[in-house]
């Protein structure tokens, strides 16, 4: 603490044309920065939580005093989700491919890789208003596609369906895609596969298999 905006591993323009540079700049330095600032503000003077990691903030949301819990939920979730999202994206051609183990687990859970992508697409389109769609490794080891509203995420057990470890997540707030896609969330969701950093997803999957 205080929490800070993480560095990007690639240039703001590196995800074009799937995500344009202006969207990246505004999304990261305005929206994400605001979540960081407001999380720090909410936790200011709360010495008990000063050593907590961002993961702990999300996982132990129920231990946060009710007076600040909503602010911590929205902004701690916002900080976690965006930090995750930037790392889970990579310039086209640089993200690798699903590992053999992950591909097998996806096939076993969803029937096929295309069926998995369709589940993500459907969950993203069904999310009314703002939120996220996730590939989650649940506590029993199974995989699920689910969606959370606002800045909630699967780490927030007791607050969300399908709690577990997020492996892949897509921001479906309009601020994530509006400049390039306007109202066409489906097109954004279809294009995002071109810039998934599978190396990062594989690493997270392997860590939950250990
Ligand atoms: Mn966002």
């Amino acid at each position: 603490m205080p929490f800070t905006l993480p560095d990007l591993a690639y240039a703001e323009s590196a995800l074009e044309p799937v995500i344009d540079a202006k969207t990246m700049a505004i999304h990261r330095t305005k929206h994400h920065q605001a979540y960081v600032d407001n999380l720090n503000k909410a936790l200011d003077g709360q010495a008990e939580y000063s050593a907590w990691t961002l993961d702990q903030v999300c996982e132990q949301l129920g231990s946060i005093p009710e007076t600040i819990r909503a602010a911590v939920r929205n902004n701690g979730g916002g900080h976690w989700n965006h930090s995750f999202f930037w790392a889970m994206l990579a310039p086209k051609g640089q993200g690798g491919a699903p590992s053999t183990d992950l591909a097998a687990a996806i096939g076993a859970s969803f029937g096929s890789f295309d069926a998995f992508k369709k589940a993500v697409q459907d969950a993203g389109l069904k999310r009314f208003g703002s939120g996220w769609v996730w590939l989650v490794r649940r506590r029993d080891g199974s995989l699920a596609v689910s969606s959370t509203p606002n800045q909630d995420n699967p780490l927030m057990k007791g607050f969300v369906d399908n709690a577990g470890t997020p492996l892949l997540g897509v921001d479906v707030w309009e601020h994530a895609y509006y400049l390039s896609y306007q109202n066409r969330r489906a097109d954004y969701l279809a294009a995002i596969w071109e810039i998934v950093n599978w190396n990062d997803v594989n690493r997270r999957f392997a860590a939950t298999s250990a």
Side-chain angles (χ1 to χ4, degrees), residues 88-108:
M88 194 220 78
L89 298 174
K92 202 171 171 173
Q94 294 179 30
S99 66
T100 308
D101 286 352
L102 177 60
I106 286 174

Side-chain angles (χ1 to χ4, degrees), residues 144-200:
V145 166
S146 65
S147 172
T148 52
N150 306 313
Q151 295 296 352
D152 287 356
N153 67 45
L155 295 178
M156 298 175 176
K157 53 181 178 282
F159 295 85
V160 297
D161 297 333
N162 289 310
T165 305
L167 304 179
L168 176 148
V170 185
D171 188 345
V172 295
W173 283 58
E174 279 190 346
H175 69 221
Y177 61 86
Y178 202 83
L179 293 183
S180 290
Y181 298 87
Q182 291 83 46
N183 61 314
R184 301 186 309 277
R185 185 187 285 184
D187 292 352
Y188 160 71
L189 281 165
I192 202 82
W193 300 107
E194 295 176 33
I195 55 167
V196 170
N197 184 359
W198 287 106
N199 299 322
D200 188 64

Side-chain angles (χ1 to χ4, degrees), residues 27 31-32 35 78 82 85-86 132 151 171-173 175-176:
H27 199 173
H31 293 278
H32 187 174
Y35 298 125
H82 289 84
F85 192 49
W86 310 137
W132 291 73
Q151 295 296 352
D171 188 345
V172 295
W173 283 58
H175 69 221

Side-chain angles (χ1 to χ4, degrees), residues 127-140:
R127 166 55 49 206
F128 184 77
S130 299
W132 291 73
V133 54
W134 306 96
L135 173 64
V136 187
R137 188 99 193 253
R138 289 185 293 213
R139 306 248 178 271
D140 65 5

